[in-house]
Amino acid sequence: MGWTYFYNHDRANRIELCRREFGNKPSWATIVKDAIIGTTYYAAMKSTKTGEVWGLVVLTDMADGEFGYKDMSEDMMPYYFDCPVGIIKLLSPTDNQYANEWRQHCLRKAGAK
């Protein structure tokens, strides 16, 4: 998947834009807890169908009045490991190898700080 860009009419910041894009529109999930670390957005997302909570990672970019993002779920094993421990702890147990590896990388990195 590539990047999605749109014009940032009201000059909102990254976390506001991510909350609008991923918290308001989808009927398939809601944001439980989120954070932005540098330019990367992390969220615990609760499925409206199953109630499971999974990790969302969104790379963001702001340039020339536009906001861009590239979203990935934890089961894609995104190589961004700054997700706060408070978000990781909210995620439902999973059998997905990539999601579990991603969670472990995040926890190890947080422990090293």
Side-chain angles (χ1 to χ4, degrees), residues 11-72:
R11 304 282 186 216
N13 64 35
R14 291 173 199 266
I15 199 162
E16 291 170 334
L17 290 163
C18 285
R19 285 175 177 162
R20 287 182 202 168
E21 196 66 20
F22 299 101
N24 293 339
K25 288 186 180 181
S27 59
W28 44 267
T30 57
I31 297 168
V32 177
K33 185 173 184 172
D34 62 355
I36 192 138
I37 309 296
T39 60
T40 305
Y41 175 78
Y42 296 95
M45 301 293 291
K46 184 175 185 178
S47 169
T48 55
K49 290 183 181 180
T50 66
E52 285 185 88
V53 181
W54 52 274
L56 173 69
V57 178
V58 182
L59 308 182
T60 67
D61 180 48
M62 296 182 91
D64 300 322
E66 290 189 326
F67 174 70
Y69 68 87
K70 180 175 181 169
D71 57 307
M72 299 164 274

Side-chain angles (χ1 to χ4, degrees), residues 3 9 15 25 46 49 63 65 77 86 100-103:
W3 285 73
H9 294 283
I15 199 162
K25 288 186 180 181
K46 184 175 185 178
K49 290 183 181 180
M77 185 52 177
N100 284 321
E101 286 179 25
W102 178 80
R103 294 174 187 190

